[in-house]
Amino acid sequence: MPTYNKLVRDRIPTIIQQAGKAPKTRVLDEDRYVEELKLKLLEEANEILKAEEHNEVVEEAADLLEVLHALLEAKGIALKDIELVRQQKREERGGFEERVFLIEVNE
């Protein structure tokens, strides 16, 4: 019997049951939920790094965004507030379109 010990999407236990298997689950308290979301965020980011095909990158990016949305909601942070800060940083420091790679800074 495989052991996963990880946060999964809400409907995964139902999907497992429909496949004729019996999942064992529990509901996490708020603190553990936030910690597991952070681990899931890293998991999804690593999956994007491994993805090579366009559709794989899209799928993994969607998963990453879903986890990020859940983490922000759990922390009481609105996505619009994140977007505002993103735009401010972009105006002050720029984006990444020019592909600038900093090698060193001489004093």
Side-chain angles (χ1 to χ4, degrees):
M1 175 186 326
T3 301
Y4 294 93
N5 287 323
K6 69 178 193 173
L7 185 66
V8 296
R9 289 175 177 262
D10 298 337
R11 294 188 184 145
I12 295 300
T14 302
I15 293 168
I16 292 170
Q17 288 172 336
Q18 290 171 344
K21 299 175 184 176
K24 181 179 178 183
T25 64
R26 70 183 174 103
V27 176
L28 301 174
D29 65 30
E30 190 68 24
D31 290 340
R32 181 68 188 268
Y33 174 58
V34 168
E35 289 306 310
E36 290 298 324
L37 281 169
K38 291 175 183 179
L39 291 173
K40 194 71 171 178
L41 196 64
L42 290 174
E43 176 187 330
E44 298 302 343
N46 282 321
E47 289 180 7
I48 286 178
L49 293 175
K50 294 175 190 172
E52 295 183 12
E53 301 295 323
H54 175 82
N55 63 324
E56 289 177 306
V57 174
V58 170
E59 288 284 326
E60 299 306 338
D63 289 344
L64 184 73
L65 280 175
E66 185 65 29
V67 175
L68 184 57
H69 278 258
L71 182 58
L72 292 174
E73 184 175 325
K75 293 287 205 172
I77 300 169
L79 190 59
K80 65 179 181 174
D81 295 335
I82 300 288
E83 181 60 21
L84 180 63
V85 172
R86 184 194 70 80
Q87 289 175 355
Q88 288 171 344
K89 284 187 162 192
R90 183 179 181 84
E91 288 173 15
E92 293 169 6
R93 299 177 178 199
F96 294 95
E97 293 81 12
E98 295 178 18
R99 304 176 187 184
V100 176
F101 184 79
L102 181 64
I103 298 168
E104 67 183 333
V105 175
N106 295 313
E107 297 287 328

